[in-house]
Amino acid sequence: MTEATSVQPDRGKALVRLRNISKHFGKVVAVEPLDLDIHQSDFLAILGPSGCGKTTLLRLIGGFLQPTSGSVEIAGEDVTRKGPERRPTNMVFQGYGLFPHMTVRQNIAYGLRIARRPKAEVDERVSKIIDLVHLSELADRSPDALSGGQQQRVALSRALVMAPKVLLLDEPLAALDLQLRKAMQEELRRIHRELGGTFVFVTHDQSEALGLANRIAVMHEGRMVQEGGPEDIYSRPASRFVANFIGDANILPARRESGRVRLDGGAEFADPGPDGEVLIVVRPEGLSIHSEKPADELAVPGTLADMIYLGSHVKYKVHLSSGQDITVNEGNLSLRERVSMGSSIYVGWRQADHRVLDDR
């Protein structure tokens, strides 16, 4: 097999188009009306907490649920009223759903045989997928002789061998332990690079979404609250919820008046917008600690309340003069030798490293 090369998504016409799609279960609104485009070769994560509607949205794409409103288009065809068997998609569920009486090879070949594909084609396609997911030495074993990660690869292979235009994954790594999850994340990245397919997966794990996806759709209470690239979602959250849900965030109250924002503690900067209360979002790694007020950064005074050595960085807990506690991740390890618990310090940051939200 040739060395994998990175496949860049085609940003032309969307492969999957959701328009005004929604889903109600009686009086319960699982998914509020939303629009979403998924392009060829995208690895899209639908991310959010339990009960936010992300699995419902995935099932609407796959045809396992009918929408209350709106339409689903895949590869230029309206499939809104078509079931999963009539859509160019395939789903990998949380439960592997493998047939215990079949070998790995037979499990993977099952869909092709049901579709009555010629034996030579079945053998060729199954062999290629088995090689792709590194299952050659396990091909003749039964599922109960496999580890959880190996069973997950068989389930993934069974879906991939059908060559779907869109592969749907419903929290496929949720049942695995942390070390195995990380290994399977690497496998998914490699498989996606080599195949160049379109993957859509649901997860509640923000680090998993950041590490796997080239695009993330964040859901909250049935609404899609932000959609974009991982860096955009992380560095430029659109709301307090997104800032808190994606990684760690310090959220500082401030007030904007006449185009200037002022924080408790004296820091202020120019920022156009309506007068009123605002929030300043700054990540722990965007902050730094100083013994004196820095001249080239925004800064607020505080007291050093705790410091925790974590190998690559030191996590500082700082009690600000405003009464708020914030976290600073400082990569300068030698700094801990120059500061002491209870000492008065300044927490500084560049204006480029924060986000201003008109959101309370």
Side-chain angles (χ1 to χ4, degrees):
M1 183 175 294
T2 57
E3 184 179 351
T5 56
S6 179
V7 178
Q8 296 301 317
D10 177 1
R11 309 315 298 178
K13 185 177 180 181
L15 176 64
V16 179
R17 289 166 51 91
L18 307 182
R19 290 296 178 266
N20 197 42
I21 202 80
S22 72
K23 181 62 181 178
H24 299 182
F25 294 100
K27 294 183 179 180
V28 177
V29 181
V31 175
E32 299 272 8
L34 62 84
D35 294 343
L36 179 64
D37 285 351
I38 305 169
H39 292 80
Q40 179 66 44
S41 298
D42 265 346
F43 201 141
L44 172 73
I46 303 175
L47 174 67
S50 298
C52 70
K54 57 187 184 294
T55 295
T56 299
L57 181 59
L58 193 75
R59 289 174 176 265
L60 288 169
I61 296 171
F64 295 93
L65 292 172
Q66 288 294 305
T68 302
S69 70
S71 63
V72 180
E73 182 183 296
I74 302 178
E77 179 185 3
D78 188 334
V79 297
T80 309
R81 301 304 165 190
K82 293 185 176 182
E85 75 284 353
R86 298 175 61 202
R87 298 191 184 193
T89 61
N90 216 320
M91 176 87 85
V92 179
F93 297 94
Q94 287 186 38
Y96 308 133
L98 303 180
F99 298 114
H101 62 287
M102 295 183 181
T103 65
V104 167
R105 189 182 301 275
Q106 290 168 339
N107 265 282
I108 296 172
Y110 181 78
L112 292 173
R113 292 206 169 104
I114 291 296
R116 300 181 182 275
R117 306 308 303 168
K119 183 179 184 305
E121 179 187 342
V122 172
D123 290 345
E124 180 184 5
R125 288 170 64 173
V126 170
S127 293
K128 285 183 177 179
I129 289 294
I130 284 176
D131 286 342
L132 177 69
V133 299
H134 301 162
L135 285 171
S136 299
E137 295 181 359
L138 308 174
D140 296 319
R141 292 190 187 181
S142 60
D144 59 8
L146 304 179
S147 68
Q150 290 165 345
Q151 290 184 38
Q152 181 62 74
R153 278 189 278 163
V154 177
L156 181 63
S157 301
R158 191 169 59 182
L160 289 171
V161 80
M162 302 303 294
K165 291 185 182 298
V166 185
L167 181 66
L168 308 173
L169 303 110
D170 184 10
E171 301 211 48
L173 311 182
L176 305 179
D177 61 43
L178 179 60
Q179 186 173 358
L180 196 50
R181 285 185 76 167
K182 290 182 177 179
M184 280 303 300
Q185 287 173 20
E186 291 295 323
E187 282 293 291
L188 279 175
R189 285 175 59 86
R190 179 185 63 81
I191 290 166
H192 181 258
R193 283 197 306 269
E194 294 194 18
L195 288 181
T198 302
F199 289 11
V200 181
F201 81 109
V202 158
T203 182
H204 64 273
D205 186 330
Q206 47 91 10
S207 63
E208 188 169 275
L210 290 170
L212 281 174
N214 73 295
R215 290 175 61 221
I216 299 174
V218 184
M219 295 197 67
H220 179 51
E221 297 180 342
R223 296 178 293 112
M224 189 172 71
V225 293
Q226 190 170 357
E227 184 272 324
E231 184 176 352
D232 187 55
I233 296 287
Y234 183 82
S235 300
R236 292 173 287 280
S239 68
R240 183 172 193 154
F241 169 79
V242 176
N244 277 322
F245 191 73
I246 310 294
D248 296 325
N250 296 297
I251 300 179
L252 306 174
R255 182 170 182 81
R256 185 194 290 121
E257 291 182 357
S258 303
R260 293 195 67 80
V261 171
R262 294 175 176 83
L263 294 85
D264 288 344
E268 66 173 84
F269 56 91
D271 185 76
D275 290 356
E277 303 298 318
V278 296
L279 300 172
I280 309 301
V281 179
V282 58
R283 300 291 184 181
E285 65 272 17
L287 296 171
S288 56
I289 288 179
H290 306 269
S291 56
E292 298 181 355
K293 186 174 183 179
D296 56 349
E297 293 184 0
L298 298 169
V300 290
T303 302
L304 186 58
D306 197 6
M307 51 181 164
I308 307 166
Y309 174 74
L310 295 173
S312 62
H313 66 276
V314 177
K315 176 180 286 189
Y316 294 92
K317 299 289 186 179
V318 180
H319 185 70
L320 300 182
S321 60
S322 64
Q324 186 173 0
D325 292 329
I326 65 171
T327 300
V328 181
N329 289 345
E330 176 63 74
N332 181 2
L333 302 182
S334 64
L335 176 66
R336 63 196 171 116
E337 300 172 1
R338 304 194 302 271
V339 295
S340 58
M341 303 288 290
S343 60
S344 296
I345 50 92
Y346 283 88
V347 176
W349 69 95
R350 299 179 306 158
Q351 188 169 342
D353 289 334
H354 74 212
R355 173 84 164 166
V356 180
L357 298 177
D358 295 299
D359 174 276
R360 301 300 295 177

